[in-house]
Every structure is written in C-alpha cells, then in structure tokens.
Amino acid sequence: MLKRLEVFLQKLAPDGIALAFSGGVDSTLLLAVLGRIRQERPFPLIALTMQTVLQDIRETETAAKLTRKLDVEQKIFTFDPLSFDDIRYNRLTRCYLCKKNIFSLFCDYARANGFKHLLDGTNADDLKTYRPGRKALQELGVISPLAELGFSKHDIRRMSAELGLPTAEKPSIPCLATRFAYNTFLDEKEILRVAEGERIVRKIFSEIGNIRLRVHDRLVRLEVAEEQMPLVLAKHKQLTEALKKLGYSYITLDMEGFRSGSFDAEVKQN
C-alpha cells in the first residue's frame, strides 16, 4: 500500500505540492510519505494549516510540531467562520461554506507560490458518510490521494504504524461545530467550553480513544464506544463534577455509544 501511495505522489511532486495539513492521522501520513519522496528527489512542498475557533488550538500546535519533526515548511492561516450566517447558525450548508472559504485561501496561496497541486487527507471511508464539504473540494480541484486509492482509515492507521508515526492511533478530532445540533447558534464561548470539556474527558479517561461531547443547551451527551462505558460509569462522579464546573447542568451518557456525525442521523442525503 505504501508503494502505491508513493507512486501516486511521485507523479505529482515535480510540479510542487501544497498539502492541507491538520496534524491528524490522514494528513500526517501524506506529509510523512511526501517527506520521504523529497529526500530522494527534492521538489517544492509546503504544509498549509488553518486555525479557526472551530479547531482546538492544541491541534494546531501539534501540527506545527509534526511539520518541524518531518522538516517540512508550514504556513498557518486564520479565518473567522462565524462571520458567515450559515456557519454561525450551524446550517446544513455550514461545512460546504467553511471548506469553500478555507480551501479557496489555500488554492490562492498555492497558485501564487508555484505549487501546482493542492492535496488533502480525505480517505475512502469519508466518501461513504455525509460530507457536504467534499463538494467544495471537488469544485476547487483539490486532490485526495487516500480516497482515490481507496484507502480506508484502517489502512491509513496500519501504514502510519509501519512508518512509526505518532498519529497511528490518534483519535479523530473533527470540527467543533459537529458538537452542536444543526440550526443552533454557534457562540465562541460555547465552542471553547465544549473543547475544554473534551480535553477534561480525555484527561480522566486516557485509555479511551474516540469521544464526543454533544451539546444540548445546558445538557451534554457523552459518546464513547460501548465497551468503554463501564470505565465512564466507574468515574462518573469525577466526570460529572468536572463538567459541571464548566457550567453544564446535566451530564448524560449516550447509550448508543460513539458514532461519527451523530447529529447527521436525520439529514437526508440526496
């Protein structure tokens, strides 16, 4: 699999590559492989990272450390998504509009600085779920090597482990807007609150992988894998006390367990 990815990227490399880099599992694998290719034959390469209120600032800091470790130049952008009504009110078009603005900035930078190809870390599993932002990427001509090669998240984690990457088992941490129901007002204070809440949960339960706190006004709904629920219940008093200090009145455990995009359940896909 790694060889197939290397061959794919080698064909693009001579014209220059700008990679949308979040520091997550997918984009880190791409950056690591691009770095390996560049050691054999130098080519223009840069990592483009976006920091907004909808991304935990610690993820941007992690991304910066990874680019330094992989010896790849990085440029960090900022963008105010809450200046757009469809994003601020968490409309169904939120993801499309946000991606369109972010990747338009990336495209403009890439073109202006001699990088012909803009890549992102979309994988094959992403194509099977509700991802309205994909339309924006397609409109802008963004290349998604992992999706094009049919690599699943499992494949990507396996290749990352082969390369010894620190992100091999890293949980997914998507946009913080996904913690709120559609058509609810996104307030910066509430976004920062839920980000802090998830950091607290991860600190208390370091052995748990994917977690989500879904916000319903003063109630938060914790999603963890079914097999991890006994761990949560064993420390429920510690968790409840910590989250109530953040201002949440009701702390609940979702009995359906962790599932990516649970607020998308009622969204009809055309």
Side-chain angles (χ1 to χ4, degrees):
M1 284 187 174
L2 273 172
K3 186 61 179 177
R4 286 178 60 205
L5 181 56
E6 287 180 351
V7 170
F8 186 102
L9 296 175
Q10 283 170 343
K11 293 177 181 178
L12 304 176
D15 295 319
I17 292 176
L19 172 66
F21 184 65
S22 67
V25 183
D26 307 319
S27 60
T28 298
L29 175 64
L30 287 174
L31 194 66
V33 175
L34 287 167
R36 280 159 56 102
I37 294 171
R38 191 181 60 169
Q39 287 180 348
E40 299 175 3
R41 181 174 296 179
F43 65 92
L45 173 64
I46 192 167
L48 306 181
T49 301
M50 179 61 69
Q51 173 59 48
T52 79
V53 69
L54 297 178
Q55 285 80 41
D56 190 325
I57 186 63
R58 298 188 186 186
E59 290 303 299
T60 302
E61 293 167 356
T62 297
K65 290 177 182 177
L66 285 167
T67 55
R68 290 194 294 270
K69 182 177 180 180
L70 295 169
D71 193 27
V72 176
E73 182 183 356
Q74 180 192 36
K75 180 171 178 58
I76 298 176
F77 296 74
T78 57
F79 163 65
D80 180 15
L82 301 184
S83 64
F84 294 86
D85 282 348
D86 279 8
I87 300 176
R88 186 166 64 251
Y89 289 96
N90 213 19
R91 306 299 190 205
L92 290 175
T93 55
R94 175 205 74 221
C95 188
Y96 168 80
L97 182 59
C98 195
K99 290 285 189 184
K100 190 65 178 280
N101 277 275
I102 288 172
F103 278 82
S104 291
L105 288 171
F106 287 172
C107 281
D108 290 345
Y109 180 87
R111 281 195 298 265
N113 290 275
F115 300 95
K116 182 176 180 180
H117 304 294
L118 175 61
L119 277 55
D120 90 311
T122 299
N123 63 58
D125 290 342
D126 294 328
L127 305 183
K128 303 173 186 177
T129 57
Y130 182 66
R131 292 285 191 274
R134 283 287 301 151
K135 180 182 176 183
L137 303 187
Q138 292 166 348
E139 291 172 352
L140 293 168
V142 177
I143 301 171
S144 303
L146 302 175
E148 291 194 29
L149 292 171
F151 292 157
S152 68
K153 198 75 169 186
H154 176 75
D155 296 330
I156 294 161
R157 291 191 185 280
R158 186 169 61 183
M159 287 186 283
S160 298
E162 287 179 26
L163 294 176
L165 298 178
T167 51
E169 298 300 325
K170 181 179 180 178
S172 298
I173 306 178
C175 164
L176 291 169
T178 62
R179 310 316 195 266
F180 302 85
Y182 286 111
N183 299 313
T184 58
F185 182 76
L186 297 180
D187 175 80
E188 183 172 353
K189 181 180 177 181
E190 292 302 319
I191 293 168
L192 295 175
R193 189 201 308 268
V194 77
E196 178 61 22
E198 290 195 350
R199 284 196 290 267
I200 287 172
V201 176
R202 291 191 186 95
K203 186 175 181 179
I204 295 174
F205 305 103
S206 58
E207 65 272 53
I208 293 181
N210 285 315
I211 67 101
R212 295 289 185 275
L213 277 183
R214 310 291 187 186
V215 180
H216 303 264
D217 194 19
R218 295 298 88 197
L219 180 150
V220 283
R221 170 169 55 91
L222 174 61
E223 295 179 11
V224 299
E226 184 177 347
E227 61 272 18
Q228 304 289 1
M229 290 182 184
L231 294 175
V232 174
L233 293 174
K235 295 183 179 180
H236 71 279
K237 290 184 179 180
Q238 181 183 355
L239 176 64
T240 299
E241 181 181 351
L243 292 180
K244 282 194 170 185
K245 285 182 179 178
L246 288 181
Y248 296 118
S249 300
Y250 305 97
I251 319 301
T252 66
L253 177 62
D254 191 320
M255 301 309 292
E256 288 190 69
F258 171 80
R259 56 221 185 272
S260 179
S262 65
F263 277 128
D264 295 330
E266 297 180 5
V267 176
K268 293 182 180 180
Q269 299 186 48
N270 296 323

